[in-house]
Amino acid sequence: MTATTPAGNGLPYRVPLDGLPDSVRIYEVGPRDGLQNESAVIPVEVKAEFIRRLAAAGLTVIEATSFVHPKWVPQLADADELLDRLGPMPGVRLPVLVPNERGLERALRRGVTEIAIFGSATETFARRNLNRDIAGSLEMFAPVVARAREAGLRVRGYLSMCFGDPWEGQVPIGRVVEVGARLLELGCDELSLGDTIGVGTPGHVTALIAAFGAAGIGPERLAVHFHDTYGQALANTLAALRAGVRTVDASAGGIGGCPYAKSATGNLATEDLVWMLHGLGIETGVSLESLVATSVWLAERLGRPSPSRVVQALARRLNEQEGSQG
Amino acid sequence: MTATTPAGNGLPYRVPLDGLPDSVRIYEVGPRDGLQNESAVIPVEVKAEFIRRLAAAGLTVIEATSFVHPKWVPQLADADELLDRLGPMPGVRLPVLVPNERGLERALRRGVTEIAIFGSATETFARRNLNRDIAGSLEMFAPVVARAREAGLRVRGYLSMCFGDPWEGQVPIGRVVEVGARLLELGCDELSLGDTIGVGTPGHVTALIAAFGAAGIGPERLAVHFHDTYGQALANTLAALRAGVRTVDASAGGIGGCPYAKSATGNLATEDLVWMLHGLGIETGVSLESLVATSVWLAERLGRPSPSRVVQALARRLNEQEGSQG
């Protein structure tokens, strides 16, 4: 049986759905959130090439690295060198994660124009990840955000464990809104709501965004960051889009995002997201073919296949076409 | 780091979403659609045990096998023996696939009370799969459905390639409605709309169900059968539920459903579906723990891990808990 292109040109058919936006901004986290969980050392030139390829595929916001202390995340110890190699990339925003004031100083020295801080909605994860309670972490972030804003930087606030916590279990929606509101009050431009362990479902997403709305925080200030651990990320994304969210985090090839098991499914794959968005007639500016080629290229360097369904399906089809031509 | 239960008891939190039903019927296709694509020979006793375990997990509709000629699907040549071993299962419907009148005769001899026929929305797949064009296939099905209905059997009509075809590309919605309406006119009680190659997206699903409605065919007569090849199955299911569909096909562990590549992702995994439905507060009658245990058991017999995200995540967690206890 000769397998030909399932959808003609290998792209999804466009059939719009009422109530959804014309365009969505994809916030690409693969180079930072994906690669920070790699056990192998990735050469800095591979990281730079990865980012260049992502930009060439049409992604305009790419979280490049983290100025965390190398002791905590040795995989990103090359942050300075990476940014030097990249240089300025016109039309592409390259935010970097910054854990504290020392990290911000390094970022400012490199000419970074956009940072992200990483907070937690639960006390247990705050203590484990930030070594202080939620109140203490907000105290730590306050001068970072203030100084960054003074320097004209854009600031994103991540809020993790918004839909469940591996130690605390269910996380009350009111608590998530409370901590999220404080991050925005510190001066964050955008708040990214993270389902760090991937347990959320679409009603939970809808209820959380509505609760932010009731607290005066509209969906234009929110982004969503879903993990596909339980396969729910795209259904949750659909619910978030319906609720008015216009910025969606994703990781090329679905790499990274699950610190609990090395090869586990973690971040929503950018390709799976793009397939749905383009199918819905929503513009992203991304070339799906270029993106899949990038993830296949990276998977070869990481030595294992991408967990993205779209990458698997399109890479397989490419192989079959090559096989049938040979 | 000790991994504890991500969601307390390992089940999703229930947060309902407006506009969705209180309950959904899951039509389990694993024993037929899943196992028919296995290259290894599965002993009949394993198949019977699989079905018994699915029923014990709370599934009430389980497509058991197919009375297709063994020349075409040798994996299901044990259909008679399987049904004999199972015997009657109170409270569980056990439909069987029947390709033609000869298959129906075998089914009637076994005391089957429910059958399914398998049509195609495209000419190319009709010719490849049924060895005749769409009109010819409808002629073949007509006496099967008529005789089955006379005998008091319930009849389901599958319609494949509803969202795209690997040879023809895009499939016009009007064509799908036309062929689907004819299957219902023959006497089918229910029509299952199949995205056989998994390319569909939520707007396409919504538009197709609306087009059936415009033709006088309400969602209560429809089921949806999504493949997760491009990761879209759950988002598409959410769209179908919003459009009023109350019956969803799925395959325990996500087995089977992709004839183009052996280990590829095919059918929507029942576990991933149940996670979303229970998270939405929708009743299914299914015990997720029992179902995952069944898929882990079957995966050991098939010699490879389940492609279901939920099975992977929960099985991993179970291993970690065992490890931390030991």
Side-chain angles (χ1 to χ4, degrees):
Chain A
M1 190 183 300
T2 310
T4 54
T5 54
N9 57 0
L11 301 176
Y13 307 121
R14 296 185 176 240
V15 189
L17 182 60
D18 284 348
L20 298 186
D22 295 330
S23 68
V24 159
R25 181 184 301 285
I26 297 176
Y27 186 104
E28 170 62 42
V29 300
R32 197 275 305 168
D33 194 3
L35 295 185
Q36 79 174 17
N37 289 307
E38 284 299 311
S39 48
V41 176
I42 315 290
V44 66
E45 187 44 41
V46 169
K47 294 179 183 179
E49 178 69 12
F50 182 36
I51 292 170
R52 286 188 210 107
R53 284 176 180 246
L54 292 171
L59 289 155
T60 56
V61 191
I62 306 170
E63 197 168 274
T65 185
S66 170
F67 279 112
V68 67
H69 195 287
K71 189 173 114 189
W72 302 115
V73 187
Q75 295 90 336
L76 301 183
D78 56 9
D80 291 284
E81 191 186 348
L82 174 62
L83 293 183
D84 283 351
R85 279 185 185 240
L86 284 175
M89 297 178 68
V92 180
R93 290 161 46 191
L94 293 173
V96 298
L97 199 68
V98 156
N100 50 32
E101 289 193 83
R102 216 156 357 171
L104 177 62
E105 278 160 28
R106 288 173 66 194
L108 290 171
R109 277 200 300 273
R110 287 297 142 192
V112 161
T113 60
E114 185 166 345
I115 63 161
I117 57 173
F118 195 86
S120 167
T122 68
E123 293 289 358
T124 312
F125 190 63
R127 275 188 228 105
R128 284 178 171 259
N129 196 51
L130 304 168
N131 206 26
R132 62 208 74 208
D133 63 11
I134 292 175
S137 69
L138 292 168
E139 278 172 35
M140 176 178 71
F141 293 140
V144 177
V145 178
R147 280 190 58 198
R149 300 269 299 183
E150 277 169 32
L153 272 57
R154 189 184 152 90
V155 182
R156 153 179 271 222
Y158 279 107
L159 190 57
S160 55
M161 302 296 176
C162 291
F163 296 87
D165 176 287
W167 301 280
E168 298 187 13
Q170 191 151 13
V171 180
I173 284 177
R175 159 50 58 107
V176 178
V177 174
E178 189 187 317
V179 184
R182 295 202 47 199
L183 282 172
L184 289 169
E185 283 160 15
L186 292 182
C188 290
D189 299 278
E190 176 177 86
L191 183 68
S192 173
L193 304 173
D195 186 3
T196 316
I197 56 173
V199 296
T201 44
H204 202 160
V205 173
T206 306
L208 180 60
I209 297 168
F212 271 104
I217 298 163
E220 70 284 352
R221 301 193 70 187
L222 302 177
V224 285
H225 185 108
F226 294 124
H227 283 202
D228 217 13
T229 321
Y230 294 81
Q232 309 297 308
L234 269 189
N236 288 344
T237 301
L238 185 60
L241 295 177
R242 280 189 182 276
V245 170
R246 298 294 174 258
T247 302
V248 181
D249 298 5
S251 173
I255 58 169
C258 189
Y260 304 110
K262 267 177 242 168
S263 64
T265 304
N267 282 303
L268 169 60
T270 312
E271 290 87 351
D272 298 11
L273 172 63
V274 167
W275 188 281
M276 184 177 81
L277 294 176
H278 289 188
L280 289 163
I282 296 171
E283 297 296 330
T284 65
V286 172
S287 158
L288 187 59
E289 298 102 318
S290 299
L291 188 56
V292 168
T294 297
S295 289
V296 168
W297 168 87
L298 184 69
E300 285 165 4
R301 266 126 208 100
L302 298 181
R304 62 167 187 278
S306 158
S308 157
R309 304 285 203 212
V310 168
V311 173
Q312 288 171 13
L314 292 183
R316 190 168 58 234
R317 229 188 49 205
L318 206 65
N319 284 339
E320 283 165 355
Q321 283 170 344
E322 281 171 4
S324 67
Q325 284 163 4
Chain B
M1 191 183 299
T2 311
T4 54
T5 53
N9 58 358
L11 301 176
Y13 306 121
R14 296 187 175 236
V15 189
L17 184 58
D18 284 348
L20 297 186
D22 294 330
S23 68
V24 159
R25 181 184 302 283
I26 297 176
Y27 186 104
E28 169 63 43
V29 300
R32 197 275 306 168
D33 194 2
L35 296 185
Q36 79 174 17
N37 289 307
E38 285 299 311
S39 49
V41 175
I42 315 290
V44 66
E45 186 45 41
V46 169
K47 295 179 183 179
E49 177 70 11
F50 182 34
I51 292 171
R52 284 187 212 110
R53 284 175 180 247
L54 292 171
L59 288 156
T60 56
V61 191
I62 306 169
E63 197 168 274
T65 186
S66 171
F67 280 111
V68 67
H69 195 285
K71 190 174 114 188
W72 301 115
V73 187
Q75 295 89 336
L76 301 183
D78 56 8
D80 291 283
E81 193 186 346
L82 174 63
L83 293 183
D84 283 352
R85 278 184 185 241
L86 285 176
M89 296 177 69
V92 180
R93 290 162 45 192
L94 293 173
V96 297
L97 199 68
V98 156
N100 50 33
E101 289 193 84
R102 216 157 357 173
L104 178 62
E105 278 159 29
R106 288 174 65 196
L108 290 172
R109 275 200 300 274
R110 287 298 143 191
V112 161
T113 59
E114 185 165 346
I115 64 162
I117 58 173
F118 196 86
S120 167
T122 69
E123 293 289 359
T124 311
F125 190 63
R127 274 188 229 104
R128 284 178 170 258
N129 196 50
L130 304 168
N131 207 25
R132 63 207 75 209
D133 62 11
I134 291 175
S137 70
L138 292 168
E139 278 172 35
M140 176 175 71
F141 293 139
V144 176
V145 178
R147 278 191 57 199
R149 300 268 299 183
E150 278 168 32
L153 271 57
R154 189 183 152 93
V155 182
R156 154 180 270 222
Y158 279 106
L159 190 58
S160 54
M161 301 296 176
C162 291
F163 295 86
D165 176 287
W167 301 279
E168 297 188 14
Q170 191 151 12
V171 180
I173 284 176
R175 159 50 58 109
V176 178
V177 173
E178 189 188 319
V179 184
R182 296 205 41 202
L183 282 172
L184 288 169
E185 283 159 17
L186 292 183
C188 290
D189 298 279
E190 175 176 88
L191 184 68
S192 173
L193 305 173
D195 185 4
T196 316
I197 57 174
V199 296
T201 45
H204 202 158
V205 173
T206 306
L208 181 59
I209 296 168
F212 271 104
I217 297 163
E220 70 284 353
R221 300 194 70 187
L222 303 176
V224 286
H225 185 110
F226 294 124
H227 282 201
D228 217 15
T229 323
Y230 294 81
Q232 309 297 308
L234 269 190
N236 288 344
T237 301
L238 186 60
L241 295 178
R242 278 188 184 278
V245 171
R246 298 296 173 254
T247 301
V248 180
D249 298 5
S251 172
I255 57 169
C258 188
Y260 304 110
K262 265 178 242 169
S263 64
T265 302
N267 282 304
L268 170 59
T270 312
E271 290 87 349
D272 298 11
L273 172 64
V274 167
W275 187 280
M276 184 177 81
L277 294 177
H278 288 189
L280 288 164
I282 297 171
E283 298 297 330
T284 65
V286 172
S287 157
L288 187 58
E289 298 101 317
S290 300
L291 188 57
V292 168
T294 296
S295 289
V296 169
W297 169 86
L298 184 69
E300 283 166 8
R301 264 127 210 100
L302 298 181
R304 62 168 189 277
S306 158
S308 158
R309 303 285 202 211
V310 168
V311 173
Q312 286 170 15
L314 292 184
R316 191 168 58 233
R317 228 188 51 205
L318 207 64
N319 284 338
E320 283 164 355
Q321 283 171 344
E322 281 170 4
S324 67
Q325 284 162 3

